[in-house]
Amino acid sequence: MYWNSELETIDRKSLQELQLARLNRALEAASRTSYYKKFFEDAGVDVSKVKTLEHLQDLPFTVKNDLRLSYPDGMVAVPKRDIVRMHASSGTTGKSTVIYYTRHDLDEWAGIVARGIVATGTTADDVFQNMMGYGLFTGGLGLHYGAEKVGCFVIPASSGNTLKQIQFFQDFGTTVIHITPSYSLHLVEVIREQGIDPHSLTLKKAYLGAEPYSEATRDRIQDLYGIQAYNSYGLSEMNGPGVAFECIHKNGMHLWEDFYIAEIIDPVTGKQLPDGEEGELVLTHINREAMPVIRYRTRDLTRFIPGPCPCGRTHRRIERIKGRTDDMMILGGVNVFPSQIETVLMNTPEVGNNYQLILERVSNLDKLHIRVELNSSMFHGDLKELDALRKKIGEQLRALITINPRIELLEPGSLPPSMGKAQRVIDNRKI
Ligand code: AMP
Ligand code: ZN
């Protein structure tokens, strides 16, 4: 089932023609903005020379800092009266980055979100409880309007207020939730503490996104709730959620290429990589009037999955995000991503649902300290058992990523629960 069968199954040649037409329109709009006008001039590029999709590679990258430098409205391409909404990124450091939308932009955005929702089999018969934060963050309102377009019964619950969320599940018969993976792992514990069997609820599906997580975490969430979980990817610079979404086959996320031109680059050289190789995702928004963003370096690492998807959608799929380039840790010369450690932890049944990675520098060497909660059925304090478990996790980490961290096993509930995006890595290194 498709939301927009014509665009979702468009043949590649027509798709590329559409991309080029939209790219030219976006470049023209960008050149009208005060920020990009100077940006292109400084780089010595003439965007009117972009005649093919390959020419895009001649243009400079936009990075997060460009959005900060253009604050508050240096990248706006339309008269103020045409703007109907803004969002701002969650950035904890520096100035926030602001994103603008016209009526057209919001409508189109809701349309691709609807595509993703429908691709997972959700219909107007579903009750959709949206547990992502509403407000400046795009997670809440982004999925909200897409789900309304599909005709779902939408509960704009936002994040937090865990007991109320559970009450809503029961009172309104929620079938689909949108939630961060880390919050879903906390929520399921609270459901159990309330004496409710999560499998007895009406839930059928979860859309998980907004933060990196491993396949092992998806499996765990599916088992704990007895539901199907689908990966959903997006970032505020590219509207918010809905950029790429899994279909029922759950084999990578279809990236809506009539909205975004995607490139995978080597994060060090900045050069495009051959199809199927892993690198940094770079996106050009070609369907937003208010704020075109050209060749944006997402810092997210992924690759294109080769070959067609059995669902018939022609938009290419990206693999689960491995991590962000800035989250990579170098431990004893080995590159390690938090998601690799998470895979080991979440595949260990004795391990609970929450963990933290603490980085320290001892005598000029990076040291990793893993604090992980135990599963409540496991926590009876038998020291021998705990020692054996610590050893088992240590061996698996060594086998997989040749690191030897300090592992601290904690009582369930000792780490701060996540209500939105989890902060997994705490960097105490003084560099
Ligand atoms: P924000 O700009 O606050 O919307 O955050 C966007 C960032 O969240 C992305 O660049 C990713 O790093 C991360 N993110 C969003 N969705 C996912 C996902 N499904 N898997 C991994 N990371 C994600
Ligand atoms: Zn598919």
Side-chain angles (χ1 to χ4, degrees), residues 26-27 30 36 40 56 59-62 283-285 292-296:
L27 289 174
Y36 270 118
F40 291 143
L56 182 59
L59 304 183
F61 294 115
T62 304
L283 294 171
T284 297
H285 202 320
V293 176
I294 312 298
R295 297 197 89 199
Y296 183 69

Side-chain angles (χ1 to χ4, degrees), residues 17-69:
E17 282 163 15
L18 180 61
Q19 282 187 319
L20 184 60
R22 286 186 169 179
L23 172 63
N24 281 321
R25 198 178 61 188
L27 289 174
E28 199 245 312
S31 316
R32 283 199 304 265
T33 70
S34 60
Y35 193 82
Y36 270 118
K37 192 170 178 297
K38 183 163 184 309
F39 186 71
F40 291 143
E41 270 167 22
D42 289 352
V45 294
D46 177 359
V47 294
S48 67
K49 294 224 171 83
V50 174
K51 302 281 184 230
T52 68
L53 291 174
E54 286 67 43
H55 287 162
L56 182 59
Q57 290 178 64
D58 303 334
L59 304 183
F61 294 115
T62 304
V63 296
K64 184 98 178 170
N65 201 41
D66 291 307
L67 277 96
R68 291 207 179 103
L69 291 172

Side-chain angles (χ1 to χ4, degrees), residues 6 9 17 31 36 90 114 131 173 180 200 211 240 270 285 288 309 329 361-362 369 387 397 404 412 420 431:
E6 197 188 322
T9 61
E17 282 163 15
S31 316
Y36 270 118
S90 42
M131 301 162 80
T180 61
S200 72
E211 62 188 11
H285 202 320
R288 189 168 55 196
C309 182
M329 309 178 276
R361 180 154 293 174
V362 187
H369 171 187
D387 249 3
L397 286 171
N404 205 0
I431 299 176

